[in-house]
Amino acid sequence: MQAVLDFCVIFLTLHTPGVLSLSTHVAIIYPQDPVLRMGSNLTASCWVHPDLGFHASSLFWTLNGQQLPSSLYRVLSPTNLSITLAGLNASRQTSGDNLVCHNHKGHILAGSCLYVGMPPEKPVNLTCWSRNTKDLTCSWAPGGKGETNISTQYKLKYKLRWHDTEKECVDYTHTQPYSCCITEDLHLFTPYEIWVEATNQLGRASSDVITLDILDVVTTDPPSGVTVSRVGQLEDQLSVRWEAPPALKDFLFQAKYQIRYRLEDSQDWKVMDDVGNQTSCRLAGLRPGTVYFVQVRCNPVGIYGSRKAGIWSEWSHPTAASTPHSERLMSGSCDSKSSGDSNSTLRRELKQFFGWVRKHAYGCSSMSMKLYDQWRVLMQKSHKTRNQVGSPRG
């Protein structure tokens, strides 16, 4: 904020700021650059040097370029004009509002920056996560309505639970606002106490202290090498394969995975939660001849024996693949009766099919896939038998 204050004083007084004295200034305003709570009243005075020959009654005030009504003025002496502002609103910007004293020709004589806001409230929603145990990033939200309207500093502080020396996070360059990344002197298997302090010229506030072990808040990079391919000519299935996050290959942990997929022309994702720790899965119950987008994410569970669930990684980049077209749906017939029987048979099979999908198709367990494959084999045999029975004998 100091840089902003200096800018306002230099710009408005036309002299290098120093001791406020008429011996070094054409005019001065008091108080200079006050910090006030919203709703406060302010009385400011503009003193002009007697040698200028201006009478106080010829001066006027502006706030952010807008002339203020003379009913707010009071002539205290031939060289002193005051103004009283009641119920001040919050500053329009953190660099302050410009209160300026002018002579009768409109020339700037002196100015002051008004900083009107509120003290910070207790920061909330403090959460932390570690990417591959290599760092610890924490984010939070300002308390209350969030906006103090004046410059407010937030500092993330931490210490080992059984040590008195507190440290301050220094890397606030993270792309997310209200966040900081700790990258040095991290200790595993040791609890940390972490909190946030908010400070401005009207007060300070601290968040609740959270205690955590880095191993309990680990997240990973998304799974790599995600591939999606067809399962032979099965028109309703796709096979998904991926690789575990490489950064954790040397860690002892049990991974959990989730898959989500959507149609090419839809934004509605379907999520499969029961993938488990395997690195492949077959999607069933899909539309024939349709393009699907697929993503995978990872949750590292039980790193070095931690009993807490990890944090889900970001989703992998979308990978696209299409299911084969259904030959049965694409084939035609000139026999209306035969076509009607075929359609009736297809409707029955689809009804059975969707009934099975509701019970089994959204899991990746090997048992579910075996049951589904058995159902498909039975349907194919049933269809073949009907064709043989219905075909004319030689």
Side-chain angles (χ1 to χ4, degrees):
M1 178 184 286
Q2 185 59 46
V4 175
L5 293 178
D6 289 347
F7 171 80
C8 291
V9 174
I10 292 171
F11 174 75
L12 294 174
T13 66
L14 308 179
H15 291 273
T16 303
V19 178
L20 292 180
S21 168
L22 285 181
S23 63
T24 57
H25 289 73
V26 172
I28 58 174
I29 290 178
Y30 180 84
Q32 188 65 215
D33 305 329
V35 181
L36 305 162
R37 292 180 72 117
M38 290 171 53
S40 298
N41 299 334
L42 170 68
T43 296
S45 296
C46 177
W47 284 283
V48 295
H49 199 285
D51 292 346
L52 293 178
F54 300 136
H55 193 276
S57 61
S58 68
L59 309 181
F60 67 91
W61 295 88
T62 62
L63 181 64
N64 293 327
Q66 298 295 317
Q67 185 169 342
L68 297 171
S70 59
S71 58
L72 304 177
Y73 305 170
R74 183 183 177 189
V75 177
L76 300 179
S77 73
T79 58
N80 188 351
L81 178 68
S82 71
I83 185 171
T84 299
L85 303 175
L88 289 171
N89 294 320
S91 296
R92 296 182 182 178
Q93 53 193 9
T94 56
S95 58
D97 294 330
N98 294 322
L99 180 64
V100 181
C101 177
H102 303 258
N103 67 12
H104 64 286
K105 293 184 178 180
H107 296 153
I108 294 175
L109 298 177
S112 178
C113 288
L114 308 184
Y115 298 92
V116 184
M118 295 295 292
E121 296 190 43
K122 182 175 74 173
V124 295
N125 300 334
L126 175 59
T127 55
C128 302
W129 62 93
S130 174
R131 184 171 294 278
N132 305 321
T133 73
K134 304 300 182 184
D135 56 29
L136 184 65
T137 301
C138 298
S139 67
W140 61 91
K145 295 182 179 179
E147 183 58 64
T148 62
N149 298 102
I150 60 176
S151 180
T152 301
Q153 289 187 334
Y154 292 87
K155 295 181 179 180
L156 179 73
K157 295 189 174 182
Y158 62 98
K159 70 182 185 71
L160 294 175
R161 189 172 188 178
W162 295 292
H163 295 74
D164 295 329
T165 304
E166 67 179 44
K167 298 181 180 180
E168 180 183 335
C169 180
V170 295
D171 184 5
Y172 293 91
T173 59
H174 200 270
T175 55
Q176 183 177 350
Y178 304 113
S179 66
C180 192
C181 183
I182 305 169
T183 58
E184 298 179 353
D185 299 326
L186 291 176
H187 299 269
L188 303 181
F189 309 104
T190 304
Y192 278 89
E193 292 182 351
I194 303 173
W195 68 98
V196 176
E197 293 181 357
T199 307
N200 64 24
Q201 290 180 279
L202 294 175
R204 64 172 55 229
S206 295
S207 71
D208 293 333
V209 177
I210 63 172
T211 302
L212 59 84
D213 189 313
I214 291 177
L215 294 178
D216 294 336
V217 293
V218 175
T219 187
T220 72
D221 297 317
S224 59
V226 179
T227 61
V228 184
S229 57
R230 295 180 177 181
V231 183
Q233 292 303 309
L234 295 178
E235 68 273 9
D236 61 343
Q237 296 187 30
L238 289 173
S239 176
V240 186
R241 297 182 180 275
W242 60 91
E243 298 174 5
L248 289 180
K249 63 181 180 180
D250 297 327
F251 286 77
L252 179 63
F253 75 103
Q254 184 80 18
K256 288 196 307 184
Y257 296 97
Q258 277 186 341
I259 295 177
R260 70 177 185 179
Y261 61 97
R262 65 174 175 84
L263 299 172
E264 181 182 28
D265 56 356
S266 173
Q267 295 301 317
D268 295 330
W269 293 92
K270 292 184 178 179
V271 178
M272 298 179 60
D273 290 314
D274 58 347
V275 179
N277 65 346
Q278 54 192 340
T279 55
S280 65
C281 179
R282 195 189 299 184
L283 304 179
L286 306 179
R287 294 183 186 178
T290 304
V291 175
Y292 284 87
F293 286 96
V294 181
Q295 292 179 295
V296 186
R297 67 177 181 176
C298 175
N299 185 327
V301 179
I303 292 183
Y304 286 140
S306 171
R307 296 183 179 182
K308 294 186 178 181
I311 298 175
W312 286 106
S313 71
E314 299 292 331
W315 291 99
S316 63
H317 291 297
T319 303
S322 63
T323 53
H325 288 280
S326 173
E327 294 183 2
R328 218 180 305 174
L329 293 176
M330 293 177 62
S331 61
S333 173
C334 293
D335 188 337
S336 59
K337 181 178 180 181
S338 174
S339 176
D341 293 341
S342 176
N343 287 337
S344 177
T345 300
L346 180 58
R347 281 195 296 271
R348 286 197 305 269
E349 291 182 1
L350 286 175
K351 184 176 181 180
Q352 290 177 300
F353 166 71
F354 286 116
W356 188 94
V357 167
R358 283 192 293 271
K359 294 179 62 177
H360 301 286
Y362 297 106
C364 264
S365 68
S366 57
M367 181 61 68
S368 294
M369 297 314 304
K370 287 179 180 179
L371 289 172
Y372 182 63
D373 289 342
Q374 292 173 4
W375 181 84
R376 289 299 303 262
V377 170
L378 289 174
M379 293 301 297
Q380 290 172 356
K381 288 182 178 180
S382 175
H383 182 71
K384 183 176 181 180
T385 301
R386 285 195 299 272
N387 289 342
Q388 290 175 348
V389 172
S391 62
R393 297 181 179 180

